[in-house]
Amino acid sequence: MVRTLFNLLPYACLLVATSASAGDLQVDLQDVFTHTGTLHVAVVDGPAGWNNQAKPVQARSLKAEADKVHLVFKNLPAGDYAVLVTHDQNDNGKLDTNMLGIPVEGYGFSNNPQLMRKPTFEEARVHVPAEGSTISVILR
């Protein structure tokens, strides 16, 4: 029996190490303009995901029912991520823009960069340590 326990010990250590290196990213959305439509929140882990060339690591869609929303993305491996939020207020499946290409529906990014363009992954990048992290995204 002792021999069996020693044989299983490396696997138990691997399981503990794997679970210890994954943290939760808590995202607080603020300034949801209206309580209509759908909020889409995506967590990406690099420029490819940021530029729609790869799938998000995790994503959620939920009805916009409050001015503030709290979401938790569980078990993200420790590393760098960026969060993109769009508020499809009329549920037409896209972020509507005006004639100049400026969004007329809510949107936001991690780090809340104040730019007149979509930020780069690096500008929106946040580090999520193994113990997890909390960020706030203010919709514009």
Side-chain angles (χ1 to χ4, degrees):
M1 179 161 166
V2 171
R3 178 181 249 175
T4 302
L5 288 176
F6 279 118
N7 288 339
L8 293 176
L9 185 60
Y11 299 108
C13 291
L14 180 62
L15 180 62
V16 170
T18 301
S19 64
S21 66
D24 295 345
L25 175 60
Q26 299 186 50
V27 179
D28 291 319
L29 304 181
Q30 298 180 15
D31 295 345
V32 177
F33 303 170
T34 64
H35 299 167
T36 62
T38 304
L39 293 163
H40 301 283
V41 185
V43 178
V44 300
D45 62 355
W50 189 251
N51 296 316
N52 297 323
Q53 298 168 341
K55 287 187 175 184
V57 174
Q58 290 187 34
R60 296 246 174 71
S61 295
L62 62 145
K63 291 294 177 191
E65 298 176 333
D67 296 340
K68 296 180 182 182
V69 177
H70 179 79
L71 297 165
V72 180
F73 294 92
K74 294 191 170 285
N75 299 316
L76 292 173
D80 293 334
Y81 299 90
V83 177
L84 170 72
V85 181
T86 58
H87 183 181
D88 185 4
Q89 296 171 350
N90 58 7
D91 277 332
N92 68 348
K94 64 180 183 172
L95 181 66
D96 294 330
T97 59
N98 65 17
M99 291 177 61
L100 299 174
I102 299 170
V104 295
E105 294 182 305
Y107 65 94
F109 310 100
S110 45
N111 286 336
N112 300 302
Q114 297 296 310
L115 304 168
M116 293 300 292
R117 59 172 171 75
K118 180 181 175 184
T120 64
F121 174 79
E122 287 300 316
E123 292 167 331
R125 180 178 53 87
V126 294
H127 182 72
V128 178
E131 0 3 292
S133 184
T134 301
I135 65 168
S136 177
V137 175
I138 300 169
L139 296 183
R140 301 197 271 168

